[in-house]
């Protein structure tokens, strides 16, 4: 049987039958496309001029030890160290290829980490090179759950399995007997802080609908569910299994951002694509028999692939092959469905509040 496409037609196949789902990226913490570009060079490169001052007592340590310490710093402390002087900038940038990788390819997630809380480089850079969803283990996943510090796919983020659930700090504080306002609340938060990873949510629009499900104008404090259960248990309070914790279906979006994949093998960065063919098939099925969220076709339409994974999928996807044939080998533009057009619109269409 003749191959469905020739190797030189890979780009044409991707244009005709695949698309990048920017609506997924709009659902979580995001910034307007290009907004962070001006700072990439200053974050990813040291100053060209030679350092004049050294790191004082830190110079007594072997360089490898200094670099190892850097890997265990939280992101904010690491960037503060990098700003000490030109020597620190050279060490932090040129010495740590993990850092350069994140500054070059994971700036969106770096932005989210910096504005919401803390993360450790070693953990973070490992996730940048992890392909699969660490929750379901399926395929390529393009989200970083900041509180759970894990990579996950959209289906897992949306379904909120126990390991990705979050709850509000104010609710945990509410479980502690006594007054829950003003000074008492602040003291309580200070008391709980060492035991919990706390994330300050960002104002913005969240959700996958055509209009944002929620436009937040203020910031709140969210914590990981499992950690909260342990803390509640250690304080001898009620709700040991978290039954009384408040949960909101969108809170998972507030604590997540997109994370591309840096493929160590070929040095390529993958943002993920979805199949136009599967989406068309789902739309056709929905028009005939009604929406079937959770069905096989719906799940296929929600799947995100790396380029190679997509090409493997493409040769077995009859609907994608139909699109490819309609495009006459990528030489004719086949109109996309309204849904595909909407999903692939640039992020700037919806302004931040
Ligand atoms: Zn998953
Ligand atoms: Zn498909």
């Amino acid at each position: 049987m003749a191959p469905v496409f020739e190797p030189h037609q890979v780009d044409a196949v991707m244009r005709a039958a695949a698309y990048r789902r920017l609506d997924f990226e709009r659902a979580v913490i995001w910034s307007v496309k290009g907004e962070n570009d001006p700072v990439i060079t200053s974050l990813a490169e040291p100053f060209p001029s030679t350092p004049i001052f050294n790191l004082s007592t830190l110079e007594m340590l072997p360089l490898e030890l200094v670099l190892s310490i850097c890997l265990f710093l939280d992101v904010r402390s690491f960037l503060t160290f990098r700003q000490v002087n030109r020597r620190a900038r050279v060490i932090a940038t040129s010495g740590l290829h993990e850092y350069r990788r994140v500054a070059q390819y994971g700036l969106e997630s770096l932005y989210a980490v910096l504005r919401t809380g803390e993360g450790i480089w070693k953990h973070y850079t490992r996730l940048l090179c992890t392909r699969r969803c660490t929750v379901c283990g399926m395929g390529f996943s393009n989200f970083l759950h900041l509180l759970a510090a894990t990579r996950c796919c959209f289906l897992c983020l949306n379904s909120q399995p126990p390991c990705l659930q979050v709850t509000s700090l104010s609710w945990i504080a509410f479980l502690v007997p006594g007054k829950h306002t003003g000074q008492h609340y602040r003291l309580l938060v200070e008391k709980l802080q060492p035991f919990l990873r706390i994330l300050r949510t960002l104002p913005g629009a969240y959700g996958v609908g055509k209009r944002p499900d929620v436009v937040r104008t203020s910031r709140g404090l969210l914590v990981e569910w499992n950690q909260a259960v342990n803390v509640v248990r250690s304080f001898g309070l009620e709700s040991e299994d978290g039954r009384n914790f408040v949960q909101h279906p969108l809170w998972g979006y507030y604590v997540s951002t997109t994370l591309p994949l840096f493929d160590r093998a070929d040095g390529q960065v993958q943002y993920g694509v979805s199949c136009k063919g599967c989406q068309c098939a789902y739309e056709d099925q929905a028009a005939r028999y009604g929406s079937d969220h959770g069905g096989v076709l719906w799940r296929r339409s929600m799947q995100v692939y790396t380029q190679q994974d997509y090409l493997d999928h493409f040769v077995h996807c009859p609907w994608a092959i139909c699109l490819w044939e309609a495009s006459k080998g990528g030489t004719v533009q086949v109109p996309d469905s309204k849904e595909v057009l909407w999903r692939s619109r640039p992020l700037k269409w919806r302004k931040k509040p």
Side-chain angles (χ1 to χ4, degrees):
M1 198 171 79
V4 181
F5 64 94
E6 300 294 335
H8 68 272
Q9 292 177 306
V10 166
D11 287 345
V13 167
M14 297 304 287
R15 275 197 306 277
Y19 71 113
R20 186 169 158 194
R21 288 200 58 166
L22 297 181
D23 62 325
F24 277 171
E25 298 173 28
R26 286 195 288 268
V28 292
I29 300 169
W30 58 278
S31 53
V32 175
K33 193 173 187 308
E35 191 177 66
N36 298 323
D37 290 356
V39 298
I40 288 182
T41 310
S42 69
L43 281 174
E45 303 291 339
F47 288 131
S49 47
T50 314
I52 297 171
F53 298 100
N54 62 21
L55 291 179
S56 187
T57 47
L58 264 186
E59 292 285 351
M60 293 160 67
L61 295 175
L63 184 59
E64 294 75 19
L65 194 52
V66 176
L67 292 175
S68 299
I69 294 168
C70 284
L71 282 175
F72 285 94
L73 293 176
D74 63 73
V75 175
R76 194 174 294 278
S77 305
F78 175 80
L79 291 179
T80 305
F81 165 72
R82 191 174 172 270
Q83 287 170 342
V84 167
N85 61 20
R86 287 182 207 161
R87 170 76 176 143
R89 189 174 279 241
V90 167
I91 289 175
T93 312
S94 307
L96 284 178
H97 61 276
E98 291 94 341
Y99 167 71
R100 274 213 310 282
R101 216 178 273 159
V102 171
Q104 281 177 325
Y105 309 118
L107 201 59
E108 182 71 24
S109 43
L110 179 60
Y111 156 85
V113 168
L114 276 174
R115 292 195 62 200
T116 56
E118 298 178 346
I120 294 174
W121 284 115
K122 203 170 182 181
H123 201 53
Y124 187 42
T125 51
R126 181 176 57 76
L127 288 171
L128 189 68
C129 302
T130 304
R131 167 190 290 254
R132 296 193 176 278
C133 171
T134 45
V135 181
C136 67
M138 298 287 283
F140 168 65
S141 57
N142 56 339
F143 289 94
L144 171 66
H145 194 288
L146 296 162
L147 264 182
T150 194
R151 189 186 269 276
C152 63
C153 66
F154 188 78
L155 290 174
C156 286
L157 184 62
N158 209 33
S159 61
Q160 295 196 39
C163 60
L164 297 184
Q165 283 178 3
V166 297
T167 188
S168 85
L169 180 64
S170 56
W171 187 252
I172 304 297
F174 182 73
L175 292 174
V176 180
K179 294 177 187 172
H180 301 103
T181 52
Q183 181 70 3
H184 181 267
Y185 178 75
R186 278 192 293 277
L187 286 172
L188 196 55
V189 169
E190 273 176 33
K191 196 174 168 188
L192 292 173
Q193 211 139 6
F195 307 98
L196 291 167
R197 188 184 297 159
I198 300 169
L199 183 141
R200 274 175 72 80
T201 59
L202 297 178
Y206 295 88
V208 281
K210 288 208 164 51
R211 299 201 173 280
D213 297 326
V214 164
V215 179
R216 286 189 61 82
T217 53
S218 60
R219 304 185 70 173
L221 299 176
L222 295 180
V223 296
E224 208 187 342
W225 183 285
N226 288 335
Q227 256 192 346
V229 170
N230 288 337
V231 166
V232 164
R233 189 175 292 144
S234 67
F235 276 66
L237 304 173
E238 303 168 32
S239 187
E240 289 197 354
D241 56 0
R243 245 177 311 180
N244 297 339
F245 290 180
V246 172
Q247 197 191 2
H248 190 281
L250 289 175
W251 280 353
Y253 298 159
Y254 297 177
V255 299
S256 302
T257 187
T258 49
L259 184 67
L261 165 71
F262 178 80
D263 195 331
R264 284 196 182 107
D266 58 10
Q268 297 287 312
V269 179
Q270 300 278 339
Y271 294 92
V273 292
S274 296
C275 180
K276 283 184 191 174
C278 288
Q279 175 58 27
C280 290
Y282 173 69
E283 284 178 35
D284 189 41
Q285 184 197 57
R288 288 166 189 242
Y289 309 110
S291 303
D292 176 26
H293 283 194
V296 175
L297 268 182
W298 179 80
R299 292 184 77 86
R300 284 180 67 142
S301 73
M302 302 295 275
Q303 188 76 44
V304 179
Y305 307 89
T306 61
Q307 178 169 303
Q308 187 52 53
D309 288 349
Y310 180 72
L311 294 173
D312 294 342
H313 165 85
F314 173 78
V315 294
H316 297 109
C317 177
W319 307 288
I321 292 173
C322 273
L323 284 176
W324 174 241
E325 287 170 353
S327 76
K328 301 192 185 311
T331 57
V332 175
Q333 178 95 30
V334 179
D336 291 327
S337 73
K338 275 187 185 171
E339 194 66 24
V340 169
L341 282 176
W342 177 81
R343 290 175 175 181
S344 50
R345 272 186 203 167
L347 292 173
K348 65 183 175 188
W349 75 276
R350 190 200 288 166
K351 278 189 165 34
K352 282 195 226 178

